[in-house]
Amino acid sequence: MKQTIYLFILLFFYLPQYASASTIKGPLSQQTQNPEIIVKYVYEQAGLQGKLDFNVFKNGYNAYYNTKERKKQLLTIIDYSKPSTEKRFFVIDLKRNKLLYHTYVTHGVNSGGVVAKHFSNIINSRQTSLGTFLTDTTYFGGNGYSLRLDGLTKGLNDNARRRYIVVHGAPYASEDFIRRHGYLGRSWGCPALPANLSKKIIDTIKGGSVIYARA
């Protein structure tokens, strides 16, 4: 009974701080003596069990709070440890603790086949980059409506701009492509999304939200 009361008090006083992206600047480990309780609460409220590994979410959550430049209470996680035939792109609203989008996303043609195994920050490598990104502005280019990204992880993705790594839609990022070929199509390093969802997702996450990509 005492443990239940303690947990309620902890969530009542600390959770609002975590839900407000405008008030948190430091890593979770500095916010409370037991941050994992808070992270687990958000994880469960967003219904991520069975979809996204808890430790992956926790690392993404911490990356979000370590990104001082963020302007939105949104976290996008790309879990490249999953094969491309699985939905591995997650957009999570941290203000409402809600999973907004869960869909497919491509990796670079030189990163691997069904599973991405090779990652790079090198220009013209046509491989996927890992690390923390911050979304910026949109534009219309060769791949249609696209979203510029800034790589924040030095040595892993800080060449994102020079590599033209952007979020865009693609016909090869679809379930139909998987049914016909047995795998999701591959890009030149960009996280390409299903064409029917890309604009909605881009408009949701553009303008200063965090993307955390891992493998």
Side-chain angles (χ1 to χ4, degrees), residues 29-214:
S29 59
Q30 296 176 5
Q31 300 301 319
T32 176
Q33 293 180 350
N34 199 346
E36 193 148 327
I37 291 178
I38 307 299
V39 179
K40 190 171 183 180
Y41 176 86
V42 176
Y43 176 81
E44 292 176 350
Q45 288 296 302
L48 296 173
Q49 306 97 313
K51 300 174 184 175
L52 180 66
D53 181 79
F54 174 72
N55 287 322
V56 174
F57 174 72
K58 181 171 69 174
N59 291 337
Y61 202 73
N62 207 34
Y64 167 85
Y65 282 111
N66 282 325
T67 303
K68 296 179 181 179
E69 303 90 337
R70 55 183 160 75
K71 298 177 182 177
K72 289 187 171 182
Q73 294 172 262
L74 297 172
L75 170 62
T76 298
I77 295 178
I78 306 176
D79 186 1
Y80 286 116
S81 70
K82 296 177 179 288
S84 67
T85 51
E86 293 184 18
K87 295 180 178 180
R88 52 187 182 172
F89 186 95
F90 304 80
V91 180
I92 305 154
D93 184 334
L94 295 180
K95 184 176 182 179
R96 296 182 293 164
N97 300 331
K98 183 178 180 181
L99 179 62
L100 301 181
Y101 294 100
H102 179 206
T103 190
Y104 299 100
V105 63
T106 67
H107 55 252
V109 65
N110 289 335
S111 284
V114 176
V115 178
K117 298 180 179 180
H118 309 287
F119 304 91
S120 178
N121 190 36
I122 299 174
I123 296 171
N124 295 326
S125 67
R126 298 185 181 179
Q127 292 184 14
T128 291
S129 294
L130 302 177
T132 303
F133 299 82
L134 194 67
T135 66
D136 194 22
T137 55
T138 59
Y139 69 99
F140 284 92
N143 290 303
Y145 191 55
S146 304
L147 174 62
R148 296 180 179 92
L149 302 177
D150 288 309
L152 304 182
T153 309
K154 188 174 181 179
L156 283 182
N157 64 17
D158 53 348
N159 278 329
R161 284 276 187 164
R162 289 183 287 274
R163 294 185 62 204
Y164 299 99
I165 300 300
V166 299
V167 178
H168 64 81
Y172 52 80
S174 66
E175 286 188 347
D176 182 63
F177 192 98
I178 294 174
R179 284 193 294 267
R180 288 186 285 114
H181 300 279
Y183 59 89
L184 199 68
R186 292 165 294 170
S187 66
W188 283 9
C190 295
L193 303 173
N196 64 319
L197 289 175
S198 60
K199 188 178 189 305
K200 291 180 181 179
I201 293 175
I202 287 173
D203 283 341
T204 299
I205 67 175
K206 68 181 180 181
S209 74
V210 174
I211 296 178
Y212 173 71
R214 58 87 64 185

Side-chain angles (χ1 to χ4, degrees), residues 8-29:
F8 174 79
I9 293 173
L10 182 65
L11 291 175
F12 180 81
F13 284 103
Y14 286 101
L15 189 59
Q17 298 180 42
Y18 284 95
S20 176
S22 61
T23 60
I24 301 298
K25 297 299 181 183
L28 294 179
S29 59

